[in-house]
Amino acid sequence: QVQLVESGGGLVQAGGSLRLSCAASGRTFSSYVMGWFRQAPGKEREFVAAISRSGSNTHYADSVKGRFSIARDNAKNTVYLQMNSLNTEDTAVYRCAAVASASRSYYAIEEYDYVYWGQGTQVTVSS
């Protein structure tokens, strides 16, 4: 089992940047595919980004492609989400998620693929 704790959220002006972190417990972090999802008020949770166990493969939602970047540091048991050129539509609670995988190159983009979830961190972008 793995526990996930997000940090790095906050209030930022449109056009600004934030970096979210998700720290995982346990000694097998490198066995997990990691993803970021977000949920805005009144909206369903949506996929943001995912990264394979090795970090070699990543995938992004079209709405964040070119602005957000996902990365991981397996030595630090941490996955990051660098968010640039933020706009008001990025306002949401961001949650990281994890699922174990035997494949080093696999990544998951569906909510139901993930088993473990963090509590989330609020990102608010002001105009």
Side-chain angles (χ1 to χ4, degrees):
Q1 190 169 356
V2 62
Q3 292 184 326
L4 305 173
V5 179
E6 302 94 337
S7 62
L11 175 63
V12 63
Q13 288 190 332
S17 299
L18 281 175
R19 189 178 79 155
L20 305 183
S21 299
C22 173
S25 64
R27 297 180 294 176
T28 59
F29 178 71
S30 61
S31 300
Y32 291 86
V33 169
M34 301 299 297
W36 285 96
F37 290 77
R38 67 185 182 185
Q39 187 167 17
K43 295 186 177 181
E44 294 186 351
R45 188 182 302 170
E46 64 173 353
F47 167 79
V48 176
I51 188 166
S52 62
R53 285 175 46 191
S54 66
S56 60
N57 288 346
T58 58
H59 188 77
Y60 299 91
D62 288 343
S63 58
V64 306
K65 200 171 294 183
R67 301 188 298 121
F68 290 12
S69 178
I70 188 171
R72 66 189 298 161
D73 186 337
N74 286 342
K76 294 183 177 180
N77 284 13
T78 302
V79 62
Y80 305 97
L81 185 68
Q82 177 67 44
M83 306 185 296
N84 300 326
S85 301
L86 286 161
N87 58 60
T88 56
E89 294 184 351
D90 296 317
T91 295
V93 174
Y94 285 72
R95 299 178 71 182
C96 65
V99 60
S101 174
S103 169
R104 291 178 58 82
S105 60
Y106 167 78
Y107 58 79
I109 65 172
E110 298 293 345
E111 183 177 342
Y112 54 73
D113 287 326
Y114 288 89
V115 176
Y116 304 104
W117 292 83
Q119 291 299 309
T121 185
Q122 176 70 46
V123 172
T124 302
V125 184
S126 63
S127 58

